[in-house]
Amino acid sequence: MSTPVRRQYLALKALHPDALLLFRMGDFYEAFDDDAGVLAETLGIALTSRPLGKAEGRIPMAGVPHHALERHLDQLVAAGHRVALAEQTGEADGRTLVERRVTRVVTPGTVEAGALLPAAGHNWLVAVAPGGADGAGAERWGLAACDVTTGELECMVVEAGVLGGELARRAPRELLVPEPAGARGGGEAALPEGAAETARRTPRPARAFAPGEAARALCEHYGVASLDGFGLRGMEAAVGAAGALLGYLAESWPQALRNLREPRVIASGAYVELDPQTVRTLELFESPAGPEAALIAVLDRTRTGPGGRLLRARLARPVRAAAEAERRLDEVAAWVGAPLERAALRRALRGLPDPERLLGRVRAGSAGPRQLAQLRAALGVLPEAGEQARAAGLLALAGDLAGAAEAHAALAAGLAEEPPAEAGDGASLRTGFAPDVDELRALAEDARGALTALEAAERERTGLGALKVGYHRVFGYYLELPRAQAERAPDEYEPRQTLAGAQRYRYGPLSELEDRILGAREELAGAERAALERLCAQVAASGAAIERAAAALARLDVAAGLAEVASEHGYVRPLLRPAGPIVIASGRHAVIERRMEPGAFVPNDCELGGAAPDIVVLTGPNMGGKSTYLRQTALIVVMAQAGSYVPAGRAEIGMVDRVFTRVGASDELAAGRSTFMREMVETAEILRRATERSLVVLDEVGRGTSTGDGLAIARAVVEALHHRPGGTPRTLFATHYRELTALAGLLPRVENRSVAVAERGGEVVFLHRIVDGAADRAYGVHVAALAGLPRAVVARARELLAQIETGEAREGGMAWGAPGAPAAPGGAAPAQLALPVAPPAAERALAETVAGLEPDELSPLEALQRLYELRAEARRGLGREG
């Protein structure tokens, strides 16, 4: 028959069969049965056994000390386990079974501390729900994102093509997805391709995403009659996703719901769209070359957790509105102009604890004395930060910092100077804050003094000068009199033990004192917990003010950090316009510049739109700087619209709505895609989504197939961008197809630029400067030589190139091997692939004729006649007479 504790364990395990159950027993968390083996293997600890009833004999067991739980949770969650914590919720009296229940289930999206929690980044738990098609037939998805440590809850509805980008911005640790209809566990709804590929997916019942039930749950949680006040009207899919999040937290960690802020609706049209490929290509947050090669590593000089999270959020979601970006730039400018105050602020913020996350722990009830002390320290720095902000002219932010003074005063008055990690392990509270705690602490810490005082009082009361207090491990505390004075003992002294020379007595007040002494430590811990809960309630009541202060602190931290970067590296404030051209003078790549010797980076200009061309066809050799030029232009635009100064001599940015990049690719073998297929999929998405306000950066489109196919595709892409209804996106188009340079003479919004190359004494020198005009050749053989290709191979390549360039490579006229070797099938590839194009002069004349027409002044018959004339003129230009 199983023991009571065994039955209790099995009942809790049955409620959480998919989680690893850690069962609190005294100072340890224990796992049993199969869970014990998993725990031992994952953590590398001993697997033992324990007898838990005659019927079952000994069962496997493994455990970890309660004080080391956080570290072990990191390992278990990182290994992919859900961990259910069964805590002792009743008091142990040695006679009855201690009550236990699962208080939380720890998953990747619900960790609140430890190494898995990024200090300067969010830990997003995201839910997505399909929302059907809109009026234009586009598939819609609802998204809700929550960081349980800060309480933030964001909701939005996006098109299927944008969902991957939105998830890439957040990089969620855990993604809740609906099970498909009829699924019974394990299945999940199909997401758009590329959506949150690295997040742990947790399927949830489809009913959890039902908008009606979700709306009722959200209204009940926030105490409102309607969600319209949150801006969620008409956003049923987002409401369903938010309801699924709420239900998941209610099951896994109900206390976290106390920290959940009101939903914040994210309007996708307010931010620059960055698809996952663009985020990867621009290496905003990660780089194959290492973390130091990402843009965030260059820009992040923040000193606080809220500041680090805010900077990442801004960089992942630059704004489209010039006014908001200018507000951010004003804050940076304030610190650029106040270097002494900036230095003082940054000194004050060094090592500051995270007030947002500490407030979250207070609200969730998981903050111990040590966390409260950290929050006190964080809030204590706010007056100094406010003083520096006022000196820099940022008065509104300084005012927001002042709002947390009440919470800081409460913590300063109630909390001990250096409290222990847990209540009961030492003095957590200041003397005078809780009189009952003071009394119990005095009793627990000075038991001998209390006994001595009782002894003295009894001697005086009875006149028995030989009376003394003693202790026996069996009988406990007693009063003792010599045999000579025993007859004078008061009646209230109850004889307990007779010795040869003395008599021992039980005395009611002494027994009461004994009970108080022996239970004082437990009582003290309980009283301290109650007092700390009252203190936490005071702090939580100021939660909104602390949130505002943390938000202001984050803005000050970000602005001061960006000002530091700008001052050190010569960045300038960009001039932002709601629309118009992109003009960059002496632009630089923020990351590459930092990895070179000072002054070694060659800056370049860029003009797109307005009086300048909308499309630049960029040619030149590999290693000449084309990719750097493309990326730095996009990075400068992203930085400017995120609210940062930029690495340039001057920058004028007509605000963009989207940034698309297609620079390099790799095979996706698991998805059955070659490099070329992936390239075409990405290019197709760009052509579908780009607008006249977008920035498009394309590199080597069409290089993954034959020369003819690739050249045809590349030209068709340029033409599609140029002829786009509504306007041409501002586009940088780098290519090795020098044939495409002819488009500058055919399409009015296209111009050529190239990478400058110099030949000095027979040596080729890449100048890394972008100049007007097309490149005269590709210099590929020179690059091959620099790469270390064998000299004989390089010499043969130069020989073949000379033949091609002098026209000797006619169809079947040159063998691609040693002299006398058979020709390659089909002969050699031609040096130039001539696509049918109209002569530039004829096309310009035709364009001028069309531009001069005034349709409103023509009768239908005249218009038809002019159309026939234009058709005839176009046919003559194409060599198709008749």
Side-chain angles (χ1 to χ4, degrees):
M1 183 175 180
S2 297
T3 63
V5 71
R6 174 63 171 168
R7 291 194 295 273
Q8 185 185 57
Y9 170 82
L10 293 174
L12 293 176
K13 180 63 181 176
L15 295 175
H16 300 276
D18 60 341
L20 195 157
L21 180 62
L22 295 185
F23 192 74
R24 181 72 180 264
M25 299 183 73
D27 290 336
F28 280 80
Y29 285 95
E30 305 286 3
F32 301 102
D33 304 319
D34 292 342
D35 283 0
V38 172
L39 188 71
E41 181 179 358
T42 305
L43 302 182
I45 60 177
L47 178 65
T48 62
S49 63
R50 176 186 180 122
L52 283 177
K54 294 181 180 179
E56 299 182 70
R58 302 187 71 87
I59 62 172
M61 182 182 77
V64 297
H66 76 96
H67 59 79
L69 177 65
E70 185 177 290
R71 173 169 55 87
H72 294 309
L73 279 177
D74 282 349
Q75 293 176 263
L76 294 170
V77 173
H81 300 293
R82 292 164 52 86
V83 183
L85 300 179
E87 300 285 0
Q88 296 178 178
T89 56
E91 294 296 332
D93 59 10
R95 297 184 299 273
T96 59
L97 180 66
V98 178
E99 182 182 352
R100 294 179 177 85
R101 64 183 178 88
V102 173
T103 57
R104 65 173 299 198
V105 179
V106 184
T107 68
T110 60
V111 295
E112 67 166 340
L116 291 181
L117 190 65
H122 282 96
N123 192 69
W124 289 116
L125 170 67
V126 174
V128 292
D134 61 13
E139 184 186 359
R140 311 281 284 180
W141 282 77
L143 181 149
C146 168
D147 185 336
V148 295
T149 66
T150 64
E152 294 163 272
L153 176 61
E154 297 181 351
C155 299
M156 65 190 310
V157 175
V158 297
E159 293 182 15
V162 180
L163 180 62
E166 287 298 329
L167 292 173
R169 294 177 198 268
R170 294 177 176 82
R173 293 290 307 283
E174 187 173 5
L175 182 65
L176 308 183
V177 296
E179 296 173 345
R184 291 186 176 271
E188 61 184 56
L191 294 180
E193 197 166 344
E197 296 164 340
T198 61
R200 169 169 177 161
R201 297 192 183 184
T202 302
R204 300 286 291 164
R207 64 178 180 277
F209 297 81
E213 184 61 33
R216 285 189 289 274
L218 288 165
C219 286
E220 180 180 352
H221 177 74
Y222 290 108
V224 297
S226 168
L227 299 178
D228 292 355
F230 299 139
L232 288 167
R233 174 181 290 182
M235 299 179 65
E236 286 78 10
V239 169
L245 273 181
L246 203 72
Y248 186 66
L249 289 176
E251 290 181 12
S252 59
W253 190 16
Q255 294 86 347
L257 295 175
R258 304 173 191 166
N259 190 40
L260 212 57
R261 305 186 199 178
E262 293 181 351
R264 174 175 172 238
V265 173
I266 304 295
S268 58
Y271 301 100
V272 177
E273 183 180 316
L274 302 173
D275 61 18
Q277 173 64 19
T278 297
V279 173
R280 287 192 295 268
T281 296
L282 297 183
E283 299 178 357
L284 298 182
F285 306 107
E286 296 178 347
S287 171
E292 72 283 352
L295 179 65
I296 190 67
V298 171
L299 297 184
D300 191 1
R301 297 290 189 88
T302 59
R303 295 291 178 86
T304 69
R309 291 190 291 274
L310 179 62
L311 178 61
R312 280 161 175 76
R314 287 183 176 181
L315 202 57
R317 190 184 286 141
V319 293
R320 294 187 186 182
E324 171 59 22
E326 290 285 9
R327 180 187 67 79
R328 298 176 181 181
L329 289 169
D330 286 343
E331 293 172 2
V332 178
W335 292 119
V336 169
L340 296 180
E341 291 80 3
R342 182 177 79 235
L345 174 76
R346 289 173 56 74
R347 283 195 300 271
L349 299 186
R350 185 189 298 274
L352 191 75
D354 193 325
E356 275 186 322
R357 284 182 168 158
L358 290 168
L359 174 63
R361 296 193 67 166
V362 169
R363 285 171 164 168
S366 61
R370 193 74 52 80
Q371 285 75 44
L372 291 176
Q374 291 171 345
L375 181 57
R376 178 182 61 190
L379 299 184
V381 172
L382 299 187
E384 169 67 12
E387 181 181 338
Q388 303 306 327
R390 279 188 292 274
L394 300 171
L395 303 183
L397 294 180
D400 287 343
L401 292 178
E406 185 175 343
H408 178 258
L411 289 168
L415 204 62
E417 190 64 31
E418 295 184 4
E422 295 186 21
D425 288 349
S428 299
L429 302 168
R430 289 189 185 276
T431 301
F433 178 74
D436 59 331
V437 174
D438 293 342
E439 182 180 350
L440 288 168
R441 182 182 297 128
L443 184 60
E445 293 179 354
D446 191 22
R448 172 49 57 187
L451 292 168
T452 301
L454 184 143
E455 181 182 86
E458 284 302 301
R459 283 179 177 178
E460 182 177 355
R461 183 178 74 86
T462 62
L464 300 172
L467 182 140
K468 66 179 181 180
V469 174
Y471 177 78
H472 188 277
R473 63 185 181 87
V474 175
F475 299 119
Y477 286 100
Y478 56 83
L479 293 177
E480 183 178 289
L481 286 171
R483 296 276 297 178
Q485 296 184 357
E487 293 182 358
R488 297 169 53 194
D491 293 341
E492 57 268 30
Y493 285 11
E494 178 185 340
R496 186 158 194 176
Q497 188 180 21
T498 302
L499 303 178
Q503 179 68 45
R504 292 175 178 176
Y505 301 89
R506 184 180 183 276
Y507 179 46
L510 179 59
S511 297
E512 292 176 8
L513 181 58
E514 177 182 12
D515 290 340
R516 293 179 63 192
I517 290 173
L518 296 179
R521 182 168 294 277
E522 289 186 12
E523 285 188 54
L524 175 61
E528 277 198 331
R529 281 194 292 269
L532 286 169
E533 286 176 4
R534 294 194 298 272
L535 181 57
C536 286
Q538 285 183 266
V539 174
S542 300
I546 296 174
E547 287 174 355
R548 286 192 299 273
L553 187 71
R555 285 170 57 184
L556 292 171
D557 190 15
V558 168
L562 291 176
E564 190 87 354
V565 174
S567 299
E568 286 183 8
H569 302 289
Y571 290 9
V572 299
R573 177 171 181 163
L575 176 62
L576 304 180
R577 303 190 186 281
I582 294 173
V583 181
I584 300 170
S586 299
R588 312 187 303 276
H589 192 292
V591 178
I592 295 177
E593 176 189 38
R594 293 280 297 276
R595 307 185 78 182
M596 299 174 67
E597 293 294 325
F601 189 92
V602 179
N604 278 294
D605 301 340
C606 179
E607 293 189 39
L608 291 171
D614 287 320
I615 300 178
V616 165
V617 174
L618 182 64
T619 51
N622 282 323
M623 295 182 61
K626 295 198 305 297
S627 292
T628 297
Y629 179 73
L630 299 180
R631 286 180 168 92
Q632 79 184 36
T633 302
L635 285 175
I636 287 173
V637 170
V638 168
M639 290 170 63
Q641 295 193 212
S644 170
Y645 279 33
V646 298
R650 181 175 66 88
E652 177 182 337
I653 307 297
M655 304 292 278
V656 308
D657 61 355
R658 298 171 172 90
V659 177
F660 295 106
T661 64
R662 229 287 337 150
V663 182
S666 59
D667 290 337
E668 289 184 335
L669 300 179
R673 284 182 176 176
S674 65
T675 300
F676 181 66
M677 171 60 81
R678 180 176 176 184
E679 173 190 337
M680 291 298 99
V681 168
E682 293 168 359
T683 304
E685 188 65 20
I686 292 172
L687 294 178
R688 279 194 294 268
R689 301 197 58 80
T691 74
E692 71 278 4
R693 294 193 58 198
S694 301
L695 173 64
V696 177
V697 175
L698 297 172
D699 188 18
E700 303 298 350
V701 170
R703 294 292 287 183
T705 185
S706 70
T707 302
D709 285 350
L711 180 52
I713 291 169
R715 173 170 174 167
V717 168
V718 174
E719 290 177 348
L721 292 169
H722 185 276
H723 300 325
R724 184 195 168 277
T728 304
R730 288 157 289 185
T731 304
L732 293 174
F733 193 99
T735 183
H736 274 85
Y737 293 129
R738 287 184 289 126
E739 295 84 354
L740 294 181
T741 60
L743 293 175
L746 305 175
L747 305 177
R749 303 302 304 161
V750 175
E751 287 189 11
N752 291 321
R753 301 284 187 273
S754 61
V755 178
V757 177
E759 296 192 38
R760 298 169 183 168
E763 291 294 323
V764 176
V765 179
F766 297 152
L767 303 180
H768 303 289
R769 286 190 295 104
I770 306 301
V771 297
D772 292 339
D776 58 349
R777 51 198 173 103
Y779 297 96
V781 175
H782 177 73
V783 173
L786 292 177
L789 221 60
R791 291 184 181 180
V793 175
V794 172
R796 178 59 175 155
R798 284 178 173 148
E799 176 186 332
L800 295 172
L801 179 62
Q803 294 174 7
I804 293 171
E805 291 179 341
T806 56
E808 293 180 16
R810 292 180 296 273
E811 184 72 23
M814 183 184 73
W816 286 85
Q832 300 284 331
L833 179 64
L835 294 181
V837 297
E843 183 160 322
R844 285 199 203 93
L846 182 60
E848 290 172 359
T849 301
V850 174
L853 291 177
E854 295 294 339
D856 293 338
E857 298 177 5
L858 299 176
S859 68
L861 186 59
E862 290 172 331
L864 185 60
Q865 179 61 35
R866 292 296 291 137
L867 181 59
Y868 278 109
E869 292 171 359
L870 290 170
R871 186 183 71 171
E873 186 174 348
R875 287 180 173 179
R876 284 194 299 275
L878 294 170
R880 292 166 53 193
E881 296 291 336

